[in-house]
């Protein structure tokens, strides 16, 4: 028996302060599910609700699936539950399955009479096992499905699956982008991160384990990708200088001419200027760097294992090789106006234009969750507000309104101002700058609503 499986990527709630205004990336995890279950004879369709204008009911009516799979992050929990309810209202016999990083760390959040299976670990394998059970090929319950009170299952430490089926989202592909990286394709080459920053949720997903695919396998996958812009979505791609140098050699040897956006740590960049120079020669275009703070004490508190001097050196190296630095920062909950000003001065000194400012958000599962829990000002079931942009903890020294106001100001002074706009127009063209500006404007409007509402 072959099953018809509908996989859905949700559209964020209107309350969620939206990165989707400046980036929409392909649903890689669903493309992996698709290729791996179709190889077993099932039929799969992916719909991307960020880009779809039609409601879920339209697709249910047209496709009449046997199984619906849903995935998302913490901010999508209520949306996913609502989708599952719509599915069951349409036809109770459709089996609903939820997976994704939030489901793996906090599966209980998805408990609902409309959801049949919550995948707790090893998503692709478990999805296949669930389909086998539905088909009657297996009697026993899949090992990594969530059961209240049961011990968390062991997570895989190797990744041996078929490549994602990128054709499944062919009709959306031209709309996928990350800021100025238009028609951007995603690839994942490693899982987890060898570091242990206290605020980091990524670590929880692989139970603090780190493992990587072979470079030969990655290069083979890259050759099959049509797009030039590649976004390597590893938590940290710059792990091990020998691996990166070998990757560069392989790209050259195989005549792969693409442009890369990656995540990397400041300490690696600062200590390996030659690697950045080499990577630039074969296509490195931008690095998202968790700079986090301009205060070494705060970096220590986060267990970041870097300091301000390292951050400054890393930013200078990227600038030297004309590699864009997208700096991500954590705004402290004990900050005053002076701290916001200090960060502004420091970012200006570094010459950064693209920043992501996140108030410290103690997600459940991280080391800092319990410490801040008594001070939450956003209910834990208001998942749509847990987007790393809302202030979820009452700040120590200033009001919530002031906090949002200083955040908006900081964004304006760094990114959304005439000098930065001129830099972007010169480098990326008027069309792309205008598009990004419209997205940034929409994000600002959302922040202003927070400011007016005061929470
Ligand atoms: S913040 Fe970055 S470096 Fe730190 S643990 Fe998370 S992924 Fe690793």
């Amino acid at each position: 028996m072959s099953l018809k499986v509908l996989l859905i990527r949700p559209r964020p709630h209107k309350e969620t302060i939206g990165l989707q205004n400046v980036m929409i990336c392909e649903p890689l995890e669903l493309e992996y599910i698709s290729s791996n279950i179709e190889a077993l004879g099932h039929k799969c369709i992916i719909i991307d609700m960020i880009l779809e204008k039609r409601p879920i009911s339209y697709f249910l009516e047209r496709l009449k699936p046997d199984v619906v799979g849903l995935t998302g992050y913490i901010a999508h929990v209520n949306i996913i539950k609502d989708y599952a309810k719509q599915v069951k209202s349409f036809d109770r016999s459709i089996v609903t399955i939820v997976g994704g990083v939030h489901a793996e760390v906090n599966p209980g959040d998805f408990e609902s009479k409309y959801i049949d299976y919550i995948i707790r670990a090893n998503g692709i394998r478990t999805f296949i096992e669930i389909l086998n059970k539905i088909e009657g090929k297996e009697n026993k319950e899949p090992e990594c499905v969530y059961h209240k009170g049961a011990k968390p299952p062991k997570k895989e430490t190797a990744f041996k699956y078929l490549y994602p089926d990128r054709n499944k989202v062919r009709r959306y592909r031209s709309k996928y982008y990350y800021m100025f990286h238009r028609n951007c394709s995603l690839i994942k080459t490693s899982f987890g991160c060898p570091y242990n920053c206290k605020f980091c949720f990524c670590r929880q997903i692989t139970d603090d384990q780190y493992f990587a695919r072979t470079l030969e396998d990655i290069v083979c996958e890259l050759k099959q990708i049509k797009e030039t812009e590649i976004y390597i979505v590893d938590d940290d791609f710059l792990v091990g200088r020998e691996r990166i140098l070998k990757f560069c050699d392989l790209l050259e040897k195989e005549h792969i001419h693409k442009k890369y956006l990656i995540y990397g740590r400041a300490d690696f960049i600062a200590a390996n200027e030659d690697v950045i120079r080499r990577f630039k020669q074969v296509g490195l275009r931008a690095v998202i760097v968790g700079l986090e703070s301009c205060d070494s004490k705060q970096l220590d508190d986060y267990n970041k294992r870097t300091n301000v001097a390292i951050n400054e050196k890393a930013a200078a190296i990227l600038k030297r090789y004309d590699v864009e630095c997208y700096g991500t920062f954590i705004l402290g909950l004990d900050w005053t106006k002076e701290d916001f000003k200090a960060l502004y001065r420091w970012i200006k000194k570094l010459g950064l234009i693209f920043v992501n400012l996140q108030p410290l958000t103690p997600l459940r599962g991280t080391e800092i969750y319990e410490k801040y829990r008594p001070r939450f000002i956003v209910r834990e079931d208001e998942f749509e507000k847990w987007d790393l942009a809302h202030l979820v903890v009452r700040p120590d020294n200033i009001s919530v309104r002031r906090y949002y106001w200083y955040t908006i100001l900081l964004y304006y002074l760094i990114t959304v101002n005439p000098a930065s706009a001129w830099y972007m127009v010169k480098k990326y063209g008027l069309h792309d700058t205008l598009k990004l500006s419209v997205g940034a404007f929409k994000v600002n409007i959302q922040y202003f609503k927070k400011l007016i509402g005061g929470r």
Side-chain angles (χ1 to χ4, degrees):
M1 177 174 101
S2 137
L3 295 168
K4 194 187 269 190
V5 180
L6 174 63
L7 300 176
I8 305 177
R9 196 259 278 276
R11 179 199 293 258
H13 191 279
K14 61 180 174 16
E15 268 290 337
T16 302
I17 296 181
L19 275 184
Q20 74 277 1
N21 289 311
V22 290
M23 57 173 274
I24 303 174
C25 293
E26 65 183 306
L28 190 66
E29 66 283 26
L30 299 184
E31 294 166 11
Y32 266 117
I33 297 281
S34 179
S35 57
N36 283 279
I37 64 172
E38 286 210 336
L40 300 172
H42 302 294
K43 171 96 186 86
C44 185
I45 305 108
I46 298 178
I47 56 168
D48 188 336
M49 293 306 289
I50 297 181
L51 295 168
E52 281 294 346
K53 302 244 177 317
R54 293 164 295 202
I56 295 278
S57 54
Y58 167 84
F59 295 99
L60 294 171
E61 189 61 57
R62 210 189 69 173
L63 302 168
K64 302 204 167 40
D66 303 301
V67 175
V68 168
L70 300 145
T71 182
Y73 301 106
I74 181 170
H76 299 117
V77 172
N78 286 331
I79 297 269
I80 287 175
K81 284 177 167 171
D82 179 59
Y83 285 177
K85 185 176 175 189
Q86 289 184 53
V87 172
K88 290 290 189 183
S89 312
F90 173 76
D91 180 350
R92 284 182 57 80
S93 71
I94 297 174
V95 177
T96 52
I97 306 174
V98 171
V101 293
H102 188 74
E104 293 202 8
V105 180
N106 295 305
D109 287 346
F110 287 101
E111 277 182 31
S112 154
K113 62 180 176 183
Y114 305 110
I115 295 173
D116 297 311
Y117 294 96
I118 303 166
I119 296 180
R120 191 141 194 206
N122 313 328
I124 302 171
R125 192 184 86 202
T126 307
F127 204 99
I128 291 169
E129 287 172 4
I130 294 169
L131 297 191
N132 286 344
K133 180 149 191 273
I134 296 168
E135 283 185 297
K137 286 184 187 163
E138 289 269 2
N139 275 334
K140 64 176 174 33
E141 190 72 359
E143 191 195 346
C144 300
V145 153
Y146 169 69
H147 291 288
K148 198 171 186 163
K151 257 180 42 192
K154 253 185 110 166
K155 303 221 170 173
E156 288 170 340
T157 52
F159 191 81
K160 291 186 184 131
Y161 292 102
L162 299 174
Y163 295 156
D165 184 353
R166 298 168 197 276
N167 273 327
K168 275 286 173 254
V169 290
R170 200 172 36 231
R171 64 193 180 285
Y172 306 123
R173 291 202 78 80
S174 64
K175 305 236 171 58
Y176 290 136
Y177 74 106
Y178 185 104
M179 291 184 21
F180 291 111
H181 308 256
R182 300 235 150 248
N183 302 122
C184 181
S185 214
L186 266 53
I187 186 167
K188 189 147 177 78
T189 84
S190 71
F191 300 82
C193 171
Y195 293 86
N196 46 6
C197 307
K198 281 188 185 166
F199 56 82
C200 184
F201 187 78
C202 302
R203 295 170 45 201
Q204 316 305 324
I205 301 159
T206 56
D207 284 347
D208 277 333
Q209 301 178 95
Y210 171 80
F211 56 98
R213 292 168 55 196
T214 67
L215 292 172
E216 289 74 12
D217 187 29
I218 294 154
V219 165
C220 186
E221 186 181 342
L222 275 173
K223 280 187 188 168
Q224 297 179 17
I225 298 178
K226 293 191 189 79
E227 286 85 3
T228 305
E229 294 282 349
I230 304 292
Y231 178 11
I232 301 181
V233 290
D234 298 16
D235 297 337
D236 178 7
F237 184 62
L238 298 178
V239 176
R241 57 177 279 124
E242 296 315 319
R243 181 173 187 260
I244 307 301
L245 289 171
K246 184 175 170 198
F247 178 64
C248 296
D249 291 346
L250 281 173
L251 292 178
E252 207 163 64
K253 185 168 157 240
E254 299 291 337
H255 306 288
I256 297 174
H257 302 292
K258 298 197 183 283
K259 293 176 179 166
Y260 302 91
L261 162 66
I262 62 167
Y263 288 90
R265 282 178 54 95
D267 51 355
F268 181 94
I269 298 165
N272 296 282
E273 180 169 349
D274 60 324
V275 178
I276 298 300
R277 185 174 57 230
R278 174 74 178 119
F279 202 167
K280 169 73 186 181
Q281 290 166 353
V282 290
L284 180 62
R285 191 177 173 205
V287 187
I288 304 169
V289 190
L291 297 170
E292 322 300 5
S293 176
C294 61
D295 175 349
S296 289
K297 156 119 189 18
Q298 234 157 24
L299 291 168
D300 284 347
D301 288 348
Y302 298 150
N303 198 27
K304 190 72 199 181
R305 289 155 65 181
T306 55
N307 58 42
V308 173
I310 290 174
N311 279 348
E312 291 182 357
K313 190 170 176 196
I317 289 172
L318 293 178
K319 199 172 208 166
R320 193 166 305 139
Y321 296 102
D322 192 26
V323 174
E324 206 72 79
C325 176
Y326 300 152
T328 65
F329 292 90
I330 294 176
L331 309 176
L333 297 168
D334 57 350
W335 279 19
T336 62
K337 187 178 179 180
E338 287 313 310
D339 296 296
F340 282 90
K341 274 177 150 177
L343 182 61
Y344 166 68
R345 284 193 297 269
W346 191 71
I347 290 173
K348 273 298 196 206
K349 187 177 101 178
L350 263 51
L352 300 181
I353 301 275
F354 303 104
V355 293
N356 183 15
L357 309 171
Q358 301 179 341
L360 184 66
T361 305
L363 293 172
R364 185 151 23 95
T366 62
E367 269 183 74
I368 57 172
Y369 169 76
E370 285 299 340
K371 177 180 170 193
Y372 290 103
R373 196 176 176 194
R375 286 168 48 196
F376 286 171
I377 51 173
V378 168
R379 280 200 335 261
E380 289 190 66
D381 61 355
E382 292 180 281
F383 292 102
E384 44 282 355
K385 295 183 182 170
W386 288 76
D387 51 11
L388 305 181
H390 275 81
L391 188 57
V392 297
V393 177
R394 185 165 301 289
D396 293 291
N397 296 314
I398 52 176
S399 69
V400 173
R401 277 204 176 93
R402 271 189 185 276
Y403 203 97
Y404 278 123
W405 173 235
Y406 294 147
T407 306
I408 295 169
L409 260 184
L410 209 48
Y411 267 125
Y412 175 78
L413 292 168
I414 299 163
T415 306
V416 197
N417 66 61
S420 302
W422 180 233
Y423 168 88
M424 292 181 223
V425 170
K426 278 195 297 181
K427 194 159 182 185
Y428 300 107
L430 182 64
H431 177 262
D432 282 5
T433 303
L434 279 176
K435 265 196 134 165
L436 193 75
S437 303
V438 171
F441 178 72
K442 286 183 187 164
V443 175
N444 264 353
I445 295 284
Q446 286 183 297
Y447 269 117
F448 268 112
K449 284 187 186 157
K450 295 287 117 196
L451 185 132
I452 293 161
R455 72 178 287 266

